Amino acid sequence: MGIRVPVSRKDRSEPASGRDPRRTTAPAGVDKTLTKGLMLIETLCRSKQSRGVSDLASELSLTKSNVHRLLQTLVASGFVSREAGSDRYVMTTKLWRLSRAPRFHDALLALVHPLLSELVAETGETATFVIVEGNTVVTLDQVETPQTIRVYYTVGDSQPLDQVLRGGRGISGIQQVAFAFQPDVDVRGALDRIRQELGRPPTYVDEQIARVEAVRRDGYALVKGEWMEGVNAIAAPVKGDAGDLVGIVISFGPAHRLTGAALDRIRKSTCQMAIRFTDKLVRDLPDRQTHASRPKS
């Protein structure tokens, strides 16, 4: 079995249950009932067995009457079912069936995977493709290196862009590329929140703005241990026909392998592959509907 260097969503600060305690409080302007219902759905989806009202109420810090009303609504709408002969509840397949409906991401995934496989064969390092949905980065697909020591993400994982990604110690190449396609005022706000999370001085924001400007100029982000110690990475944007950001392709691995001429070779391969991604996207998915970001004007 190979040794893996995990880059996972669940870092040491996350509770053992996997639940973020901040989720129980809805931000201002957000529908509290809907937020509670979505929290309940997420908890049931992550559960390996049926759950009772008291159990769910305790985990979600809600009242039992509140959880009971939410469950009855979800049962009536077909998303949850009650186990026969008990007061325990499980998710039905309705959410899964809805999520499997044909959509742009399915076509995008079919286009992405062969190109990621080709990039890994060329570089020998793990390649990942992510999309940015609003303020969230989502790992859409990944092809891992066959080498024993490797760095990897989790496909389907997501995390806000204005937080330190996956227990890192600075902003990642993914964030640098995503920020390059956002207005400066939004980027500064996100970087300031990251600065506070890291406990860095105010000058940190301007230092990272300079990195974002370099991405706008050079067309890629190069990270050498700044995000996570011992990990080097190259991230390049995949664009739509209007220059909007559709996704980001990343090659990364242990710093002892990605250094010097090897790192430069992988940088060139990753940037060239991002251009091929863009060309195929425009040619093969011309009628796509995208929520992607526009480049800074």
Side-chain angles (χ1 to χ4, degrees):
M1 179 180 295
I3 301 172
R4 301 178 124 194
V5 182
V7 181
S8 174
R9 172 186 179 190
K10 294 186 177 180
D11 58 35
R12 290 181 293 274
S13 65
E14 184 168 305
S17 66
R19 180 175 62 87
D20 185 343
R22 294 171 295 180
R23 294 190 309 166
T24 57
T25 304
V30 173
D31 187 280
K32 294 181 180 180
T33 301
L34 178 58
T35 299
K36 292 174 183 177
L38 292 173
M39 288 165 48
L40 180 57
I41 288 174
E42 182 178 348
T43 301
L44 286 171
C45 284
R46 294 182 183 277
S47 300
K48 296 181 179 180
Q49 57 187 8
S50 58
R51 305 289 294 273
V53 172
S54 297
D55 183 24
L56 290 166
S58 176
E59 179 169 344
L60 295 172
S61 300
L62 299 173
T63 65
K64 289 191 285 187
S65 60
N66 202 332
V67 170
H68 184 266
R69 286 195 301 272
L70 290 170
L71 285 170
Q72 299 317 303
T73 300
L74 291 171
V75 168
S77 57
F79 288 96
V80 170
S81 65
R82 179 178 174 179
E83 280 190 338
S86 76
D87 291 322
R88 300 175 67 85
Y89 296 83
V90 295
M91 291 294 299
T92 67
T93 62
K94 183 174 182 178
L95 186 61
W96 175 80
R97 285 184 280 112
L98 289 173
S99 72
R100 299 301 299 170
R103 59 197 187 281
F104 169 66
H105 290 160
D106 291 331
L108 182 59
L109 184 59
L111 181 150
V112 162
H113 194 81
L115 293 178
L116 287 181
S117 298
E118 187 176 333
L119 181 58
V120 173
E122 183 177 338
T123 65
E125 299 297 342
T126 297
T128 302
F129 185 82
V130 305
I131 57 174
V132 178
E133 296 182 322
N135 187 47
T136 302
V137 59
V138 181
T139 305
L140 186 68
D141 196 16
Q142 177 174 258
V143 175
E144 292 187 29
T145 173
Q147 303 195 65
T148 54
I149 300 178
R150 66 190 74 179
V151 180
Y152 66 96
Y153 286 96
T154 301
V155 173
D157 197 9
S158 64
Q159 190 166 338
L161 278 170
D162 60 355
Q163 295 180 9
V164 179
L165 296 188
R166 299 167 175 88
R169 60 180 188 175
I171 69 170
S172 67
I174 291 172
Q175 288 167 300
Q176 290 181 36
V177 173
F179 289 153
F181 286 78
Q182 295 181 357
D184 282 345
V185 62
D186 294 342
V187 175
R188 283 190 173 275
L191 287 173
D192 191 58
R193 288 187 286 276
I194 292 172
R195 177 193 68 79
Q196 294 178 55
E197 182 180 351
L198 292 169
R200 301 289 180 84
T203 53
Y204 178 81
V205 173
D206 286 331
E207 293 169 359
Q208 303 312 310
I209 286 289
R211 291 180 177 273
V212 173
E213 289 291 352
V215 173
R216 290 170 177 163
R217 181 189 68 241
D218 301 333
Y220 65 89
L222 178 61
V223 178
K224 295 190 284 187
E226 297 93 342
W227 164 55
M228 185 165 289
E229 186 176 4
V231 176
N232 290 351
I234 301 94
V238 174
K239 305 175 188 178
D241 53 1
D244 49 324
L245 180 66
V246 175
I248 304 169
V249 59
I250 314 102
S251 295
F252 52 98
H256 70 270
R257 283 204 309 260
L258 275 70
T259 185
L263 181 59
D264 190 57
R265 175 178 56 82
I266 292 171
R267 176 190 62 80
K268 292 178 180 177
S269 296
T270 304
C271 290
Q272 290 169 358
M273 186 58 72
I275 294 172
R276 288 186 57 194
F277 267 98
T278 297
D279 291 343
K280 284 187 68 65
L281 182 69
V282 172
R283 185 180 70 246
D284 297 348
L285 300 177
D287 298 324
R288 64 188 178 85
Q289 293 181 345
T290 180
H291 43 263
S293 304
R294 295 278 177 178
K296 175 181 175 290
S297 58

